[in-house]
Amino acid sequence: MNLLDAHFVPAVDGVAYGLLLFVVAAGLSLAFGTAGVLNLSHGTLYAIGAYTGAELSDGTWGGLAVGLAAGTAAAAAAGAGLSAATIPLARRGHLAQALLTFGLALIGGNLLIEFFGADELPVRVPEALDSSVTLLGHRYPAYRLCFILMAVLLAAFGTWVLTRTRVGAAVRASADDPQMLATTGHSPRAVHTGVLVAAGALAGAAGVLGAPIIGPGAGTADTVLMLSLVVVVLGGLRSLWTTLFAAIAVGQVQTLGVSVAPDWAPYLLFAAMAAVLILRSQVTEPATSGAHGGGDGGADPVEWLRRRLSASFKGRGAGAANAAPSGGVRSGALASGTGAGQAEVGRSGGRGMLPWLLRGGGDGDLASRVRRAAPLLVLLGVLIALPTLLDAYTISLAGSALALGLLAVSVTILTGYAGLPTLGQTAPFAVGAYATANLADAGWTVGPVQIVVAAIAAALFSLVTGPAVIRARGTTVLMITLAIGELASAAINQLKSVTGGADGLVGFPATQALWGGEGMVDESEVYNYALAVGVVAVCVTLLVLRSPAGKLLTGTRNAEARMRASGHPVGRYLLMAHIGAGALAGVGGSVMVTVQQYLSPADVGFEIAAFALLAAVIGGNTSVVGALIGAGLIVSTRDWVASSWPGHGHLLLGVLFVAAVYLLPRGLAGLRAGPGSGGRGAARTDRHPSGHDSAPAGKVAP
């Protein structure tokens, strides 16, 4: 009985908290399931309502009513603006929507803080509700009981509207068959706008009514967004009632779970989210390993490379060519749709793999290879010259940009080459970073040792998490990788003996560039070390991507069904790409620690994951050089340009997100290829791969 008494109030709090999340998540589910918009600014819509309601609250019923009306209207208007902003992206898939709405969230959050201030606003409720009532022998806030009643009524009303009214029928038809809806005289675009307006209104109303529960503050939007995403994933998109039950379960974890099992509660939500997504992908996606003769070792690109390199050193190139089955590399190049690539692989068969790699792994004559290498050589020349042109602070920013650039290149490998858009590469990035910091703290300060250990640790992490990622496609991959990233963030905050928790790690010895050297403290020395590591990592990455192994990976993205039918172990290719990208991210994390000489959870959080994805998109999804340039643009905007306008860094970054989505639909590589070019490096995001998630963002064509 004492145990029940101790946990009764947290359990009821969990119901109130869950119902609040339900109202918010219902709008998010409506926007995604009906309008097809992956809205990462939904938490900002809640914050608009919360700030407006708190500002207008005066402790009277009239103030509550005015705040509710104003907050709901403001968020609904923002929803209408969101509809206008996302309509041009209808054919570009959920990846472009996610980046756009995240940028809008950054802009909206900065404007809210500018207008209302950075401190959490007090919320004054009517005097009749600002008291406690007796509930089964326990005192409980009257406002929360009232909110529970209002949320239940809202759930019932929403279900009635969707299932029993003509408006609800039009909304359902818009989700199931918009063409048929148009034949009945209804405009799918009008329904799209109405749905996003309604979603904004729900979020705004929840913000006003939920402000006494989740008050308006600097981190409110992020908290609400993440919890709402968990609710939508757990509850699905088909029924408000399953969303309601999922929201209550999440609310219980956030309140009762924290009081009963505080050490496990941070992991439960995103672990459950990942488990549900993985289970759905197992059911809905095709098998990736061992299918169609996938156990054939001859089609394994790493095994093939090992054989060919060994044969090259021994001078038996022709014999090694016969070791690979005819359906191995050639069919991979054929499936990728690149005839020139197939010819190049065929030509390399008799001369060995090593000379082919040393030639640059490219197609065509020397002049074409020089043209393709020119951007990388120009970028390298600029980077080498930077220490002589910049001050110490700006040089340190350039080093940070190199670290973020390596992370962005790892995202490019997964998003552009493997067709697996990711928001979770900060997890192996964090593994490499914390491995380096702990090695330095233990006295292992030699740079090459730190790099190798960081890469191995991140690769092992990616090996463990890879099977959960590679079966899914499209938006499901984004959500799974997001869950993995959030689980890593929770672990960072919990494992204080390793990570320092929220305080981070600082005070460890400086890195030595080589054995026997002194610790690097001068910014130019640190930058040159970061540049050397970056050059080696990028060169290795380019050699692999331009080798037959890279062509096989591109083939899995362009024509996965044909690759499977020809006997290729597609799952193995994707897993190896995931491991390689993770190792590269780990190297980037190690470089970041060396440059900064401190490490905090914010350096490896969701915001950094979004920045890395944006850098990859700015570059053009399959452009390594473009990803590096994109990372430099982001760091310069965040830390250098924003220094001249203090307090508006997020606003400037948000503008960069929006501009990149609209102005660079194919990235910098698309500008180089020219309008309408389908050349190499041009990223197409308007393609719906057959047999996959309906989101075209899941597969990015070269």
Side-chain angles (χ1 to χ4, degrees):
M1 185 64 181
N2 291 334
L3 182 63
L4 179 62
D5 288 340
H7 299 307
F8 177 78
V9 171
V12 180
D13 276 343
V15 174
Y17 199 95
L19 288 172
L20 171 60
L21 293 177
F22 163 73
V23 178
V24 182
L28 183 61
S29 177
L30 194 64
F32 187 42
T34 302
V37 175
L38 180 57
N39 182 17
L40 297 185
S41 64
H42 199 69
T44 304
L45 299 178
Y46 174 94
I48 289 173
Y51 275 109
T52 304
E55 184 70 20
L56 297 176
S57 66
D58 57 3
T60 65
W61 289 101
L64 178 61
V66 171
L68 180 60
T72 303
L82 182 66
S83 173
T86 55
I87 283 177
L89 307 179
R91 295 184 178 273
R92 291 178 52 190
H94 293 143
L95 179 59
Q97 293 173 353
L99 291 172
L100 173 68
T101 55
F102 185 77
L104 293 175
L106 291 176
I107 295 172
N110 189 269
L111 293 177
L112 286 174
I113 291 176
E114 183 72 17
F115 190 78
F116 293 104
D119 298 329
E120 185 169 335
L121 295 183
V123 182
R124 289 163 287 184
V125 300
E127 186 176 353
L129 299 178
D130 192 17
S131 60
S132 299
V133 297
T134 301
L135 181 64
L136 298 180
H138 297 80
R139 302 297 296 176
Y140 193 76
Y143 183 85
R144 297 199 176 194
L145 281 180
C146 182
F147 178 82
I148 290 173
L149 177 61
M150 289 187 292
V152 170
L153 292 176
L154 184 59
F157 176 73
T159 301
W160 176 78
V161 169
L162 286 177
T163 59
R164 302 291 183 181
T165 67
R166 294 176 62 88
V167 173
V171 169
R172 298 196 310 275
S174 176
D176 297 333
D177 193 345
Q179 288 78 16
M180 182 63 70
L181 177 66
T183 63
T184 64
H186 295 83
S187 170
R189 177 169 293 189
V191 174
H192 177 276
T193 300
V195 165
L196 290 179
V197 168
L202 281 172
V208 176
L209 298 176
I213 301 174
I214 304 180
T220 298
D222 294 338
T223 300
V224 170
L225 172 64
M226 289 299 176
L227 294 177
S228 299
L229 284 172
V230 173
V231 170
V232 170
V233 168
L234 296 180
L237 301 173
R238 294 295 181 184
S239 170
L240 279 179
W241 291 108
T242 58
T243 303
L244 174 62
F245 295 142
I248 293 176
V250 171
Q252 292 298 332
V253 171
Q254 287 295 100
T255 55
L256 184 60
V258 170
S259 64
V260 173
D263 293 335
W264 289 97
Y267 303 99
L268 291 178
L269 291 180
F270 289 100
M273 175 179 171
V276 168
L277 289 168
I278 293 167
L279 180 61
R280 288 177 183 167
S281 66
Q282 294 285 332
V283 173
T284 59
E285 299 293 345
T288 56
S289 59
H292 303 290
D296 182 6
D300 187 337
V302 168
E303 177 65 18
W304 199 87
L305 282 172
R306 187 189 66 78
R307 291 180 182 179
R308 300 305 295 273
L309 286 170
S310 176
S312 175
F313 283 120
K314 294 177 182 178
R316 297 201 308 256
N322 296 327
S326 60
V329 177
R330 286 177 177 266
S331 61
L334 179 62
S336 68
T338 55
Q342 181 188 9
E344 181 65 39
V345 176
R347 289 194 299 270
S348 69
R351 295 189 296 269
M353 184 67 184
L354 183 60
W356 188 88
L357 285 174
L358 293 177
R359 290 201 315 274
D363 308 320
D365 56 14
L366 178 62
S368 64
R369 289 197 295 270
V370 169
R371 283 196 300 271
R372 285 198 297 270
L376 184 60
L377 295 176
V378 170
L379 177 62
L380 180 59
V382 171
L383 292 176
I384 292 174
L386 284 183
T388 63
L389 303 174
L390 304 176
D391 57 58
Y393 173 69
T394 310
I395 291 174
S396 69
L397 292 184
S400 298
L402 286 172
L404 181 62
L406 293 178
L407 177 61
V409 172
S410 77
V411 172
T412 295
I413 294 172
L414 292 178
T415 301
Y417 285 88
L420 300 174
T422 176
L423 280 171
Q425 278 303 95
T426 45
F429 185 71
V431 170
Y434 281 102
T436 299
N438 280 277
L439 279 175
D441 196 48
W444 295 83
T445 58
V446 178
V449 173
Q450 293 179 347
I451 292 295
V452 170
V453 172
I456 293 174
L460 290 175
F461 177 87
S462 298
L463 173 64
V464 173
T465 58
V469 175
I470 61 175
R471 289 188 64 96
R473 300 293 182 270
T475 308
T476 306
V477 182
L478 279 175
M479 293 296 102
I480 291 177
T481 54
L482 171 63
I484 291 173
E486 291 302 309
L487 283 171
S489 296
I492 288 170
N493 285 309
Q494 291 292 312
L495 302 176
K496 296 182 179 180
S497 61
V498 177
T499 66
D503 296 329
L505 297 175
V506 69
F508 42 82
T511 298
Q512 303 169 242
L514 293 172
W515 288 267
E518 296 293 330
M520 296 178 292
V521 293
D522 181 72
E523 283 79 3
S524 295
E525 288 182 330
V526 174
Y527 172 79
N528 288 329
Y529 167 82
L531 179 59
V533 173
V535 167
V536 173
V538 169
C539 287
V540 171
T541 300
L542 288 173
L543 287 175
V544 173
L545 291 177
R546 294 178 180 178
S547 72
K551 294 183 184 299
L552 287 171
L553 186 60
T554 304
T556 65
R557 181 199 65 202
N558 289 348
E560 181 176 345
R562 293 175 61 187
M563 292 286 286
R564 291 181 187 282
S566 63
H568 288 277
V570 171
R572 193 181 304 173
Y573 298 164
L574 294 178
L575 179 59
M576 290 165 53
H578 191 262
I579 294 171
L584 183 59
V587 172
S590 179
V591 171
M592 179 191 68
V593 169
T594 300
V595 171
Q596 293 186 168
Q597 281 299 297
Y598 68 88
L599 180 59
S600 70
D603 296 320
V604 293
F606 171 72
E607 189 174 88
I608 301 300
F611 291 165
L613 184 57
L614 174 65
V617 171
I618 289 176
N621 280 328
T622 56
S623 172
V624 171
V625 176
L628 294 171
I629 295 174
L633 184 60
I634 290 171
V635 171
S636 62
T637 301
R638 181 190 65 183
D639 298 322
W640 187 57
V641 177
S643 63
S644 61
W645 196 14
H648 296 85
H650 279 178
L651 176 64
L652 294 173
L653 285 170
V655 171
L656 179 61
F657 268 78
V658 174
V661 170
Y662 283 129
L663 302 180
L664 297 173
R666 293 188 297 153
L668 296 174
L671 293 179
R672 183 176 174 227
S677 173
R680 188 176 181 175
R684 290 179 56 201
T685 57
D686 57 348
R687 184 170 167 264
H688 289 260
S690 60
H692 290 73
D693 193 295
S694 60
K699 295 289 180 183
V700 187

